[in-house]
């Protein structure tokens, strides 16, 4: 897995905005594979994207398809992962309102549908650590209410944490795949090149 080789990135393709992630990855020269069933998880991959969508639907499908534990193990073993919006919710180890966690790998408390109905969807040009101003599209977005030890905050919008990194895990409350800007995906590919 030398740094010059094309990276093979798996995109969870059960529900939600996975095609848009694939477009960004392909533009950046990465190879994409879709994860739809347990067998798809048996292959080698350099990174994984958990797209936005509906976390409850995705979590239930992952459970029914017997994929939850395998994914959890791979992430805990260091597979680089980018979770956007619902993907961030899947990664979190604590959700509000006594909802059970799904993958439970990222030590943050995430609040779902956190901006209320009116502010459910909005767009800002926000500061992202190490990159600068990036377009941020929020759609019925969550935010990070609190972080555990070792979690690095990468972006804050209106006093709310909207992007974090914890070792091999990148969790983002907005949808970087829906804007033309590819720097966040590039940052993730750089993480994949480091080979955790
Ligand atoms: N509100 C959705 C959820 O709770 C997330 C929305 C999104 O991914 N854009 O899963």
């Amino acid at each position: 897995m030398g740094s010059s080789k094309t990276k093979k990135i798996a995109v969870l393709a059960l529900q939600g905005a996975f095609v848009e992630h694939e477009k960004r990855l392909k533009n950046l020269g990465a190879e994409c594979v879709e994860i739809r069933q347990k067998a798809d998880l048996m292959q080698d991959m350099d990174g994984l994207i958990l797209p936005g969508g509906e976390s409850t639907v995705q979590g239930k499908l992952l459970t029914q398809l017997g994929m939850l534990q395998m994914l959890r193990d791979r992430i805990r073993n260091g597979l680089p992962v980018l979770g956007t919006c619902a993907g961030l919710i899947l990664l979190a180890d604590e959700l509000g309102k006594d909802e059970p966690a799904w993958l439970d790998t990222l030590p943050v408390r995430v609040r779902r549908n956190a901006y209320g109905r009116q502010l459910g969807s909005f767009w800002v040009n926000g500061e992202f650590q190490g990159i600068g101003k990036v377009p941020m599209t929020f759609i019925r977005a969550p935010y990070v209410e609190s972080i555990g030890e070792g979690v690095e905050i990468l972006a804050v919008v209106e006093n709310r944490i909207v992007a974090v990194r914890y070792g091999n895990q990148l969790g983002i409350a907005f949808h970087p795949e829906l804007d033309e800007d590819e720097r966040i995906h590039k940052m993730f590919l750089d993480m994949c090149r480091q080979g955790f």
Side-chain angles (χ1 to χ4, degrees):
M1 287 204 268
S3 59
S4 58
K5 270 179 81 180
T6 305
K7 291 290 129 178
K8 180 171 159 187
I9 308 298
V11 182
L12 186 67
L14 297 179
Q15 189 266 343
F18 53 89
V19 174
E20 291 80 358
H21 278 293
E22 292 170 9
K23 277 188 204 149
R24 301 280 160 242
L25 292 170
K26 283 176 189 158
N27 284 347
L28 291 165
E31 182 194 339
C32 289
V33 287
E34 292 188 346
I35 302 294
R36 294 178 181 271
Q37 55 187 343
K38 203 170 172 179
D40 299 333
L41 281 173
M42 310 287 182
Q43 62 194 310
D44 281 341
M45 54 185 84
D46 300 305
L48 170 72
I49 292 187
L50 305 175
E54 195 51 50
S55 57
T56 330
V57 174
Q58 294 183 10
K60 282 183 184 156
L61 285 169
L62 285 174
T63 310
Q64 283 163 16
L65 294 165
M67 294 163 73
L68 206 59
Q69 187 61 42
M70 268 182 88
L71 271 180
R72 185 182 290 133
D73 290 344
R74 289 199 77 151
I75 295 168
R76 288 201 174 134
N77 287 333
L79 177 69
V81 61
L82 164 62
T84 58
C85 204
L88 162 66
I89 296 167
L90 290 181
L91 291 171
D93 73 355
E94 203 184 333
L95 305 177
K97 298 182 203 143
D98 301 323
E99 293 178 79
W102 296 105
L103 289 165
D104 193 11
T105 54
L106 179 64
V108 295
R109 187 166 75 231
V110 166
R111 180 190 275 262
R112 294 178 60 215
N113 300 324
Y115 298 86
R117 272 204 181 168
Q118 281 173 317
L119 285 176
S121 304
F122 60 99
W123 186 92
V124 294
N125 204 22
E127 187 71 26
F128 197 100
Q129 190 173 315
I131 296 183
K133 292 269 187 199
V134 294
M136 300 180 174
T137 296
F138 292 83
I139 302 171
R140 291 182 305 110
Y143 70 84
V144 175
E145 277 187 320
S146 63
I147 58 169
E149 213 183 307
V151 176
E152 190 187 349
I153 297 172
L154 299 182
V156 175
V157 169
E158 290 170 12
N159 293 321
R160 287 168 168 171
I161 301 167
V162 296
V164 293
R165 178 168 177 179
Y166 179 67
N168 58 317
Q169 302 179 58
L170 195 54
I172 297 182
F174 55 92
H175 283 264
E177 77 285 6
L178 297 184
D179 288 290
E180 299 280 299
D181 197 300
E182 277 163 358
R183 286 174 296 166
I184 289 180
H185 285 83
K186 189 173 176 303
M187 176 191 174
F188 177 61
L189 285 179
D190 288 342
M191 269 171 73
C192 298
R193 280 192 192 95
Q194 285 160 24
F196 282 85

